Amino acid sequence: MGLNEKPMHELIRLLSVKEITIREIIRDLYRAIEERETDVRAYLELSDPDALLKEAERAKDLPLKGIPIAVKDLISTTGFRNTCGSQFLRDFRPTFDATAILKLKAAGATILGKTNLDEFGMGSSTENSGFFPTQNPFDLERVPGGSSGGSAAAVAAASAICALGTDTGGSIRLPAAFCGVVGVKPTYGLVSRYGLVAYASSLDQIGPLTRDVRDAALLLSIVAGHDPADSTSAAQGNVDYTQGLEAELKGIRIGIVKEFVETLSGKASALSKKWQEQFQQLGARFEEISLPHSKYAIPTYYLISAAEASANLARYDGVRFGHRESDESVLTMYALSRDAGFGVEVKRRIMLGTYGLSAGYADEWYKKAQGVRALITQDFQRAFQSVDVIMTPTSPTPAFKLGEKIDDPLAMYLTDQFLVPASLAQLCAISIPAGQIDHLPFGLQLIGDRFQELNLLHAAFAFEQAWS
Ligand code: GLN
């Protein structure tokens, strides 16, 4: 087994006892990248291996010992472009590091490269990248999920040890599930959004994509915590999320969502019964819960996220940064630059969002969606009075084929149906690999109440250890 296939916590241990060197880790990583990258295409930009090694050697006395981490190309990282998967920003070089990146570097991580994504995070398959689609390492004819598809595919192909992604409405959890890796969407406000290019600011969160739950807990412990540079950052974090992972699970109450169960395919339902048995053997108790407003989650999410996106993306006008098409007059320049720089899906979202917010329509669309968001949040609050975590499949099906849904935006949006309710309610959630359907990885999602990451990771860890 190459060192690139091992989890980060194991590599840290081996480095500490001097059984391996960081040079060997980097060598194995680049070997895998050489072998897999032409097919998988997870990266938009890679570090130079010699420069990376030098940096890693400088970090050898810090907790992460120089271990290279892949970063979604939506998070500002000095030394790399930050394209956001968009032609608009294909040459954009950020001048500062996001807080999450600063924290990683301070803990001794190095940056391996920037990973592919759906443009500005808008998509569920990475096919909306303005550069090229990423392929699923398990089956190159299939999508890796999105929008953090490059990060998930890199970890799954062992061309990264772990990665950062971002999740607005499922973009860490879905690719984690499709690629058979672990992905955590932290509670809104737990990880600073400073330096994360905004898609939908009331939903966006940075989180880890890793080989196992312990690595996810480790990375989360590093990137979480209050940041005065982000006004929505919570006074939370500074917690070691790896603590207590091994404790017994006994007594945990797990909710099963009545409305979701009714929609499951035969195969997904059979697998989720097995998950339930596994958790019961670990001492968990199950309870059926109801999230009656979750059936409105997809329209609510796609209205609110598009509305916020239309406002956030107004800054790309060809003036300050990014693509500039013509300068005949200011208005033509805006129009031509935006037309040439943005892809089809981004334009669709901007138009939907602008419509939903426009005078005369905002009450009917945007304000109504905000009302439904409050109802969805209340459903969860009620549920968390009787259960500790909620279990669902991460997605209705395993990874679909490239091209299968690209011309049908509604079918694409429905991929997120089990994911967006927790996003709207700003809760924490994790996807862990839990069996296969049709020989493809299938993910189990656990949703926890706000800032209950310790509980969530504890349950996920216990399951991961027991499940075979
Ligand atoms: N698929 C969803 C969307 O397109 C989620 C994206 C995300 O979480 N960034 O909006």
Side-chain angles (χ1 to χ4, degrees):
M1 190 201 241
L3 296 176
N4 54 314
E5 292 168 73
K6 292 190 186 293
M8 177 167 65
H9 59 83
E10 175 69 4
L11 294 174
I12 294 173
R13 190 186 67 77
L14 293 171
L15 285 167
S16 310
V17 297
K18 302 208 172 5
E19 229 170 84
I20 60 168
T21 63
I22 193 74
R23 179 185 291 273
E24 291 166 330
I25 298 176
I26 292 177
R27 178 202 61 201
D28 287 2
L29 270 173
Y30 278 88
R31 196 171 286 161
I33 289 169
E34 193 136 309
E35 272 168 25
R36 301 301 307 275
E37 199 41 24
T38 33
D39 289 336
V40 174
R41 301 210 282 178
Y43 286 96
L44 289 172
E45 192 175 357
L46 273 162
S47 224
D48 167 67
D50 297 329
L52 186 67
L53 179 59
K54 270 200 199 119
E55 248 172 74
E57 277 172 347
R58 274 201 294 272
K60 67 176 188 308
D61 297 326
L62 293 166
L64 296 185
K65 305 199 171 306
I67 291 183
I69 289 173
V71 176
K72 185 179 187 178
D73 204 19
L74 195 62
I75 304 173
S76 287
T77 309
T78 50
F80 296 89
R81 286 186 295 273
N82 198 30
T83 69
C84 305
S86 180
Q87 284 292 337
F88 214 118
L89 296 174
R90 63 180 177 271
D91 300 315
F92 175 63
R93 291 193 164 271
T95 52
F96 66 97
D97 277 324
T99 300
I101 300 296
L102 282 179
K103 288 187 173 213
L104 277 179
K105 288 181 176 172
T110 52
I111 308 300
L112 177 56
K114 301 296 293 288
T115 56
N116 198 18
L117 67 157
D118 290 296
E119 190 173 359
F120 291 101
M122 298 176 195
S124 307
S125 68
T126 317
E127 292 166 292
N128 295 337
S129 162
F131 300 97
F132 46 79
T134 294
Q135 268 84 273
N136 190 315
F138 278 86
D139 176 348
L140 297 172
E141 285 178 15
R142 291 179 190 268
V143 303
S147 64
S148 313
S151 287
V155 176
S159 47
I161 291 148
C162 53
L164 285 187
T166 70
D167 192 308
T168 302
S171 279
I172 289 176
R173 292 163 284 164
L174 186 70
F178 281 9
C179 293
V181 302
V182 173
V184 176
K185 183 206 96 74
T187 305
Y188 183 78
L190 184 69
V191 180
S192 168
R193 293 183 298 111
Y194 184 68
L196 162 61
V197 174
Y199 159 15
S201 308
S202 74
L203 296 151
D204 299 339
Q205 270 294 287
I206 295 174
L209 286 131
T210 57
R211 198 142 282 142
D212 64 16
V213 175
R214 185 181 291 282
D215 268 4
L218 189 59
L219 265 192
L220 186 64
S221 308
I222 293 165
V223 295
H226 180 67
D227 179 11
D230 170 4
S231 63
T232 59
S233 166
Q236 297 273 349
N238 298 326
V239 172
D240 176 3
Y241 292 104
T242 62
Q243 82 191 16
L245 285 181
E246 270 125 14
E248 250 187 278
L249 203 56
K250 259 196 168 27
I252 191 170
R253 298 161 307 168
I254 303 181
I256 299 276
V257 187
K258 179 169 142 272
E259 292 82 3
F260 291 2
V261 170
E262 285 161 3
T263 69
L264 290 186
S265 73
K267 287 177 183 172
S269 149
L271 197 48
S272 83
K273 293 228 169 65
K274 287 198 186 143
W275 299 341
Q276 194 166 336
E277 283 161 21
Q278 180 67 79
F279 267 122
Q280 276 161 340
Q281 279 171 23
L282 289 164
R285 281 187 286 126
F286 276 82
E287 191 174 306
E288 189 178 82
I289 58 153
S290 174
L291 299 174
H293 298 93
S294 59
K295 60 173 173 290
Y296 306 118
I298 287 285
T300 304
Y301 167 82
Y302 277 94
L303 247 160
I304 291 174
S305 63
E308 294 184 14
S310 71
N312 277 325
L313 271 59
R315 74 192 63 172
Y316 304 108
D317 54 11
V319 178
R320 280 203 58 194
F321 37 60
H323 182 79
R324 182 182 294 192
E325 192 63 24
S326 133
D327 53 7
E328 284 165 34
S329 78
V330 173
L331 281 183
T332 1
M333 184 193 70
Y334 288 170
L336 293 178
S337 304
R338 286 168 74 80
D339 186 35
F342 290 140
V344 174
E345 184 62 26
V346 171
K347 288 178 186 160
R348 182 167 18 242
R349 306 286 179 105
I350 292 173
M351 285 191 270
L352 269 174
T354 307
Y355 180 79
L357 284 175
S358 56
Y361 295 97
D363 283 348
E364 198 179 334
W365 298 110
Y366 181 69
K367 287 203 185 130
K368 191 184 275 177
Q370 291 292 17
V372 180
R373 182 178 193 173
L375 294 172
I376 290 170
T377 307
Q378 281 167 21
D379 285 352
F380 276 110
Q381 282 165 349
R382 198 169 314 114
F384 283 124
Q385 283 169 8
S386 58
V387 298
D388 301 301
V389 293
I390 295 169
M391 182 183 94
T392 81
T394 305
S395 58
T397 65
F400 47 88
K401 291 233 161 101
L402 283 144
E404 193 178 316
K405 300 192 186 201
I406 197 68
D407 297 321
D408 186 351
L410 278 184
M412 189 73 91
Y413 297 171
L414 282 169
T415 317
D416 304 331
Q417 56 185 284
F418 302 145
L419 302 169
V420 296
S423 305
L424 288 166
Q426 302 188 321
L427 306 170
C428 58
I430 186 170
S431 177
I432 52 174
Q436 298 198 329
I437 287 186
D438 301 332
H439 309 290
L440 294 164
F442 198 63
L444 178 165
Q445 175 182 227
L446 293 174
I447 303 171
D449 205 352
R450 301 195 70 206
F451 303 110
Q452 294 302 306
E453 274 81 358
L454 269 175
N455 275 345
L456 191 75
L457 289 159
H458 177 207
F461 182 83
F463 182 90
E464 177 190 61
Q465 297 303 304
W467 179 257
S468 46

